[in-house]
Each structure stands twice: as structure tokens, then as C-alpha cells.
Amino acid sequence: MRQSPLASGIFYNILGVFFVFLAIQDVNANSFGFFTYLLILLATLDIGTGLRLLFLHFKLKNSQK
């Protein structure tokens, strides 16, 4: 059974928010470093993918009418 784009989009957005939280905590503790930039990159990719999947879900939902 395939997972819906809605569930995947929500999951990716939650991961993105979590990586943003970790990046903020890392900046407060250690200033900017490699690990902080890695977390920001992961958050950007996850949030972008999550938004794309959410838009895909609503596009598919509207095209089935």
C-alpha cells in the first residue's frame, strides 16, 4: 500500500521543524559551525519536500472532482 502525499508531506514538515529547532539550539550553544549548516541544509530540503508533497496532495484531490 502506498503512502499518501499528505501523510508524507506532514512527516517531512515535522522533520524540517525539528531540524530547525536543533540548528537554533546548536547556534545558541556553539555559534555557527559545520553541524549547524548541515542542520539548516537538512531542514531546507525537508520543508521544501514537505510543501511540494502537500501541494501535490491538494492538486490531486482537486483534479479528481
Side-chain angles (χ1 to χ4, degrees):
M1 184 173 156
R2 291 178 44 182
Q3 195 172 17
S4 73
L6 180 64
S8 297
I10 291 171
F11 178 72
Y12 275 108
N13 280 322
I14 289 172
L15 274 178
V17 169
F18 180 67
F19 286 137
V20 167
F21 172 76
L22 289 178
I24 291 170
Q25 294 298 318
D26 192 50
V27 167
N28 288 335
N30 301 322
S31 180
F32 281 93
F34 174 76
F35 187 64
T36 305
Y37 288 114
L38 180 66
L39 288 171
I40 292 170
L41 176 69
L42 289 173
T44 303
L45 294 175
D46 282 342
I47 291 173
T49 303
L51 289 175
R52 186 179 323 159
L53 287 170
L54 289 175
F55 287 137
L56 175 66
H57 168 76
F58 290 115
K59 184 177 178 181
L60 291 174
K61 185 177 175 183
N62 288 336
S63 68
Q64 292 176 354
K65 289 183 179 179

